[in-house]
């Protein structure tokens, strides 16, 4: 998704304009999207939610499955339309991102200059400017700063959520065979909450999960797995024209 991420700078981006997102073609090749724990309730009604292992950081991160194959987003339709009721926040924040600046707890706003949504020189006059004529940040910057700050806070809670599940040995590999046209394939490399281990937790640990308000997210993740059937239906729909050709 991101190709040329650079820190937002008033000198470099004095004339830069950001166009409104009218399509999501930039996400057509992404078969997963990172989620924060706070998104589970809405996302679970549309997508399967699983965890992937970040071995470099020795952590698990929750993601939505957007497709059954790498490089395929089954929720992107014609003209880049997102064909689902909920769009993950990481997609909605594009072309902006946060990057650490070397100081703990401090981050720098960045943007992807390679994005079609970014007009670096602003010559076409499309979009909203990042800075005004006096070099002061516009409302665009203020809105992005607030939005990314909220996402960062949610991200920290999500990391704590995943860490506790890992410490409780709650993750188990997802072992599922799905139908894809006339053949079957295995979904591998993903982890989910083990419902049996959840039910066998001690009262103290279960109450700790409740006190941290982690239980709704856990149950949302478990229920979301039924959405794998939706992915198979969407895949079959895409393969249908090829069969008739």
């Amino acid at each position: 998704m991101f190709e040329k991420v650079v820190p937002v700078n008033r000198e470099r981006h004095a004339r830069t304009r950001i166009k409104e997102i009218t399509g999501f073609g930039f996400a057509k090749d992404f078969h997963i999207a990172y989620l924060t724990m706070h998104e589970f309730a809405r996302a679970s009604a549309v997508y399967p939610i699983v965890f992937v292992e970040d071995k470099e950081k020795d952590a698990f991160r929750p993601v939505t499955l957007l497709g059954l194959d790498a490089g395929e987003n089954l929720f992107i339709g014609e003209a880049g339309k997102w064909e689902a009721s909920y769009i993950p926040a990481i997609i909605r924040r594009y072309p902006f991102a946060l990057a650490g600046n070397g100081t703990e707890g401090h981050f720098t706003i960045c943007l992807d200059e390679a994005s079609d949504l970014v007009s670096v020189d602003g010559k076409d006059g499309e979009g909203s400017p990042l800075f005004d004529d006096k070099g002061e940040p516009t409302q665009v910057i203020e809105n992005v700063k607030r939005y990314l700050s909220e996402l960062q806070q949610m991200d920290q809670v999500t990391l704590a959520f995943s860490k506790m599940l890992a410490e409780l040995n709650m993750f188990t590999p997802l072992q599922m065979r799905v139908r894809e046209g006339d053949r079957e394939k295995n979904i591998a490399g993903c982890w989910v909450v083990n419902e049996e281990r959840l039910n066998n937790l001690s009262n103290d640990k279960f109450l700790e999960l409740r006190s941290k308000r982690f239980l709704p997210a856990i149950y949302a993740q478990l229920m979301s797995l039924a959405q794998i059937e939706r992915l198979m239906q969407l895949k079959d729909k895409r393969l249908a024209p090829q069969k008739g050709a």
Side-chain angles (χ1 to χ4, degrees):
M1 186 188 305
F2 292 94
E3 297 179 27
K4 187 181 178 183
V5 179
V6 299
V8 173
N9 179 283
R10 72 178 65 218
E11 285 77 31
R12 183 185 181 106
H13 300 114
R15 300 178 62 187
T16 297
R17 290 176 173 269
I18 303 298
K19 303 172 186 177
E20 183 179 355
I21 293 179
T22 57
F24 295 89
F26 59 84
K28 65 181 177 61
D29 297 329
F30 285 81
H31 70 292
I32 63 172
Y34 170 66
L35 280 184
T36 65
M37 185 191 79
H38 307 73
E39 299 178 83
F40 279 27
R42 293 188 64 186
S44 64
V46 184
Y47 316 103
I49 300 172
V50 299
F51 294 82
V52 293
E53 189 175 8
D54 185 342
K55 294 184 178 181
E56 290 186 4
K57 297 183 179 180
D58 190 25
F60 290 87
R61 300 185 71 87
V63 300
T64 59
L65 291 180
L66 302 174
L68 296 173
D69 293 297
E72 179 181 62
N73 186 338
L74 294 172
F75 293 91
I76 299 294
E78 294 183 6
K81 181 182 179 182
W82 194 283
E83 298 179 336
S85 59
Y86 182 74
I87 303 172
I90 194 172
I91 303 294
R92 286 182 279 120
R93 79 179 185 182
Y94 187 77
F96 293 98
L98 277 183
N101 62 8
T103 302
E104 185 175 355
H106 291 77
F107 299 87
T108 300
I109 296 177
C110 302
L111 84 162
D112 182 3
E113 288 187 339
S115 170
D116 292 337
L117 299 172
V118 178
S119 176
V120 177
D121 56 21
K123 289 181 180 180
D124 56 16
E126 293 185 37
S128 302
L130 296 181
F131 297 93
D132 61 24
D133 294 338
K134 297 180 181 179
E136 297 298 322
T138 64
Q139 192 61 43
V140 173
I141 292 289
E142 295 305 319
N143 291 343
V144 168
K145 185 185 299 184
R146 182 173 61 254
Y147 183 59
L148 292 182
S149 176
E150 291 173 356
L151 281 182
Q152 181 60 29
Q153 293 174 24
M154 294 178 188
D155 186 57
Q156 294 304 307
V157 175
T158 303
L159 289 174
F161 166 69
S162 298
K163 181 179 180 181
M164 184 172 182
L165 292 183
E167 290 173 345
L168 292 174
N169 191 31
M170 296 296 293
F171 291 124
T172 190
L174 174 63
Q175 297 179 343
M176 186 172 292
R177 294 180 64 83
V178 299
R179 187 192 71 259
E180 187 178 289
D182 298 328
R183 63 189 180 92
E184 290 188 343
K185 65 181 297 182
N186 292 318
I187 291 182
C190 302
W191 301 74
V192 294
V193 173
N194 187 303
E195 189 172 1
E196 183 177 355
R197 293 176 196 169
L198 173 66
N199 292 332
N200 288 330
L201 279 178
S202 68
N203 289 338
D204 288 344
K205 291 300 181 182
F206 189 86
L207 290 174
E208 185 178 355
L209 287 172
R210 189 183 74 173
S211 69
K212 294 180 180 293
R213 300 184 178 181
F214 289 166
L215 287 178
I218 291 174
Y219 289 122
Q221 188 276 307
L222 288 169
M223 290 187 290
S224 77
L225 296 179
Q227 302 303 333
I228 290 177
E229 180 67 27
R230 180 195 294 260
L231 291 184
M232 290 191 290
Q233 292 172 354
L234 290 173
K235 184 69 173 182
D236 284 345
K237 185 177 179 180
R238 289 207 174 179
L239 290 174
Q242 299 176 22
K243 291 180 180 180

